Amino acid sequence: GINAEYMGVTTGARVFAALKGALDGGLNIPHSESRFAGFNKEKGELDSQKHRARIFAQHVADYQRKLQREEPEKYETTFSKYIEADVKPDDIQKMWEDVHASIRRAPTAKLLSETFQV
């Protein structure tokens, strides 16, 4: 299993996103949903809407909007690849939906040489 004790991880950390992906992929891994983004401690349950928003990077879109509004220069450096690819905050969810659809269409791993010219 994932030994998070020595990693100093927090709820919603990337390691738990990787765990969620493995679980969604069909692996049977003992876990607790309490470490996934969107877990509501008071209710003791995973808020599926908040979890979905995190999966589809709405926090990134929100940050992108904030920087556009408040720190345009920082936005241009932080999101230079997004700007180059013409990915706007409202495009991020669709981008990730397309990525997920692509994985579902062809879930087998490919060699780097099959994907990119090296």
Side-chain angles (χ1 to χ4, degrees):
I2 298 174
N3 186 347
E5 181 178 339
Y6 300 106
M7 297 174 67
V9 295
T10 59
T11 296
R14 289 181 185 162
V15 69
F16 298 115
L19 172 63
K20 180 70 168 109
L23 293 166
D24 289 350
L27 295 179
N28 184 9
I29 304 168
H31 68 284
S32 168
E33 289 184 342
S34 67
R35 298 309 297 263
F36 294 152
F39 185 79
N40 184 321
K41 290 180 185 178
E42 292 160 7
K43 291 183 179 179
E45 63 187 27
L46 187 63
D47 180 325
S48 62
Q49 291 300 322
K50 286 184 180 180
H51 189 69
R52 184 179 193 285
R54 189 70 178 200
I55 289 171
F56 288 103
Q58 288 307 297
H59 61 293
V60 175
D62 292 343
Y63 185 58
Q64 192 176 4
R65 285 184 194 96
K66 178 183 177 188
L67 287 185
Q68 281 178 320
R69 205 173 44 249
E70 298 175 9
E71 299 180 63
E73 290 178 8
K74 186 174 180 180
Y75 165 74
E76 289 181 15
T77 57
T78 303
F79 288 97
S80 62
K81 296 289 185 186
Y82 280 52
I83 294 167
E84 185 179 310
D86 198 33
V87 176
K88 295 175 177 59
D90 292 337
D91 301 330
I92 291 177
Q93 180 170 330
K94 173 86 169 79
M95 177 182 73
W96 283 109
E97 288 171 352
D98 292 347
V99 167
H100 292 184
S102 174
I103 292 168
R104 284 190 297 278
R105 274 192 310 275
T108 57
K110 293 182 180 181
L111 296 173
L112 184 61
S113 60
E114 293 176 309
T115 309
F116 298 100
Q117 208 171 26
V118 280

